[in-house]
Amino acid sequence: MKRDSRLSGVLHVLLHMAQQPGPFTSETLAKAMDTNPVVIRRIMAGLRDLGYVRSEKGHGGGWRLACDLSKVTLRDVYTALGSPALLAMGNRTEAPGCLVEQAVNAALDQAFHDAEALLLSRLGEVTLAMLGDDFRKRLGSRKLQGMRAHGA
Amino acid sequence: MKRDSRLSGVLHVLLHMAQQPGPFTSETLAKAMDTNPVVIRRIMAGLRDLGYVRSEKGHGGGWRLACDLSKVTLRDVYTALGSPALLAMGNRTEAPGCLVEQAVNAALDQAFHDAEALLLSRLGEVTLAMLGDDFRKRLGSRKLQGMRAHGA
DNA sequence: TTTCATGTAACGTTATATGTTGCATATCTG
DNA sequence: CAGATATGCAACATATAACGTTACATGAAA
């Protein structure tokens, strides 16, 4: 099954934007993510509708963050993407008349629902600000490594 | 994202087989599942390799259960299918040099891993025998309803 | 030997994420 | 106002994977 990477992609964009004041054109962001500007606009549209980012047309236009990063969770971002399917598996048919299928669906649905709930819960515990902190920590580590490599 | 229904499908087949001694031809099973005989053979191949079912060619041939239903879990069946992807989402790129991407991936991987572990755990708690019991319970309820509808 | 059944490869179909092009619209600059 | 820059969006192209279908080989029973 082909895996949906929009959540990963949009988080990448948001974190890059958090490092500089902006604005950022779709083309700039697309280059950083090695994709197409239209793809950027597509995945950012939901975020804009929910007020997490703003876009402006024309000269000096582009995308800007418009939210408190410590108040937006990964789950919020997921929702802004339209809450796409989380699980790669599903039942063969919904609303089955077959009792065998009902028994199978009931068991699978239970397991699927639990897994989805846990995933959403975990995503809800992580804010964009926390991701930013992690990024800066990694940046510090890399700098230290570089200094060591140069004999400092 | 299109959802994989092979697990749901193969469970459906196994439970149907558990209701009668068999053997069952691929064509019979395919009709019950409203699909193609070749699809049946395809999803049953992994189960045969692990010894959960046996197949015989020629006259009077077909598929038979070859395991203790109380010892095979939904997770075993999932594994027999080749352990396909559980989650519909994934990271944009693996092995990223970008520190932003590393931070994003670390957070998502954590959540994804937890959800997958829970799902596998839940599937491991349910045996085929338990599904069979649930089916028979539903069958009983339906019979009762039918009797009530006829004024009993 | 004929018939029935699985085993498997090859190809077609469908759905969805992703990539691309084209053009309309809005905004800034000169 | 004219031109350049940027988003908004529709339409179409591409890649991939599940699912469906056809064709033929192999093996077993009547």
Side-chain angles (χ1 to χ4, degrees), chain B:
Chain B
M1 168 102 12
K2 196 179 191 177
R3 276 156 120 172
D4 185 342
S5 65
R6 280 175 294 180
L7 180 58
S8 170
V10 75
L11 291 176
H12 192 165
V13 166
L14 292 175
L15 251 66
H16 268 293
M17 291 173 68
Q19 309 311 316
Q20 300 171 52
F24 303 84
T25 68
S26 300
E27 191 172 352
T28 301
L29 296 175
K31 261 177 197 151
M33 292 195 43
D34 194 39
T35 182
N36 194 288
V38 178
V39 176
I40 298 291
R41 295 189 191 113
R42 206 138 61 188
I43 64 180
M44 296 287 277
L47 295 180
R48 182 193 53 219
D49 295 344
L50 290 189
Y52 298 148
V53 298
R54 262 195 289 273
S55 62
E56 277 170 23
K57 295 181 173 179
H59 261 288
W63 299 90
R64 280 179 203 275
L65 292 175
C67 62
D68 181 347
L69 293 186
S70 69
K71 294 224 163 60
V72 179
T73 67
L74 305 197
R75 177 169 182 167
D76 295 327
V77 176
Y78 163 76
T79 302
L81 291 180
S83 304
L86 293 173
L87 298 182
M89 319 191 64
N91 289 323
R92 221 172 49 82
T93 63
E94 302 302 330
C98 171
L99 289 179
V100 165
E101 188 116 21
Q102 282 180 26
V104 170
N105 285 359
L108 289 180
D109 282 342
Q110 175 73 43
F112 290 163
H113 178 269
D114 289 356
E116 285 192 337
L118 178 63
L119 181 48
L120 287 177
S121 167
R122 287 277 189 276
L123 294 180
E125 291 167 2
V126 182
T127 65
L128 295 179
M130 290 164 69
L131 284 191
D133 290 345
D134 185 28
F135 162 68
R136 278 183 290 276
K137 191 185 299 176
R138 290 168 191 272
L139 196 60
S141 299
R142 174 180 279 184
K143 276 180 185 161
L144 276 178
Q145 279 201 332
M147 289 168 66
R148 285 203 202 91
H150 286 94

Side-chain angles (χ1 to χ4, degrees), chain A residues 25 41 52 59 72 81 88 104-105 123-124:
Chain A
T25 68
R41 294 190 192 112
Y52 298 148
H59 260 288
V72 178
L81 291 180
V104 170
N105 285 0
L123 294 180

Side-chain angles (χ1 to χ4, degrees), chain A:
Chain A
M1 165 113 0
K2 198 177 189 177
R3 276 156 120 174
D4 185 341
S5 66
R6 279 174 294 181
L7 180 58
S8 171
V10 74
L11 290 175
H12 192 165
V13 166
L14 292 175
L15 251 67
H16 268 293
M17 290 173 69
Q19 308 311 315
Q20 299 171 54
F24 303 84
T25 68
S26 301
E27 192 172 349
T28 300
L29 296 175
K31 263 178 197 151
M33 292 196 42
D34 193 39
T35 183
N36 194 289
V38 179
V39 176
I40 298 293
R41 294 190 192 112
R42 206 138 60 187
I43 65 181
M44 296 287 277
L47 295 181
R48 181 192 54 221
D49 295 345
L50 289 189
Y52 298 148
V53 297
R54 263 195 289 271
S55 63
E56 277 172 21
K57 293 181 174 180
H59 260 288
W63 299 90
R64 281 178 202 276
L65 291 175
C67 61
D68 181 347
L69 294 186
S70 69
K71 294 225 164 58
V72 178
T73 68
L74 305 196
R75 177 170 183 167
D76 295 327
V77 176
Y78 162 77
T79 302
L81 291 180
S83 304
L86 292 174
L87 298 182
M89 319 190 65
N91 290 324
R92 223 172 49 84
T93 62
E94 302 301 329
C98 171
L99 289 180
V100 165
E101 187 117 21
Q102 283 180 25
V104 170
N105 285 0
L108 289 180
D109 282 343
Q110 175 72 43
F112 290 162
H113 178 269
D114 288 356
E116 284 192 338
L118 178 63
L119 181 48
L120 287 176
S121 167
R122 288 275 188 278
L123 294 180
E125 291 167 1
V126 182
T127 65
L128 295 179
M130 290 163 69
L131 284 191
D133 291 345
D134 185 29
F135 162 68
R136 278 183 289 277
K137 189 185 300 178
R138 290 168 190 272
L139 197 61
S141 301
R142 174 181 278 185
K143 275 179 183 161
L144 277 178
Q145 280 201 330
M147 289 167 66
R148 286 203 201 90
H150 286 94

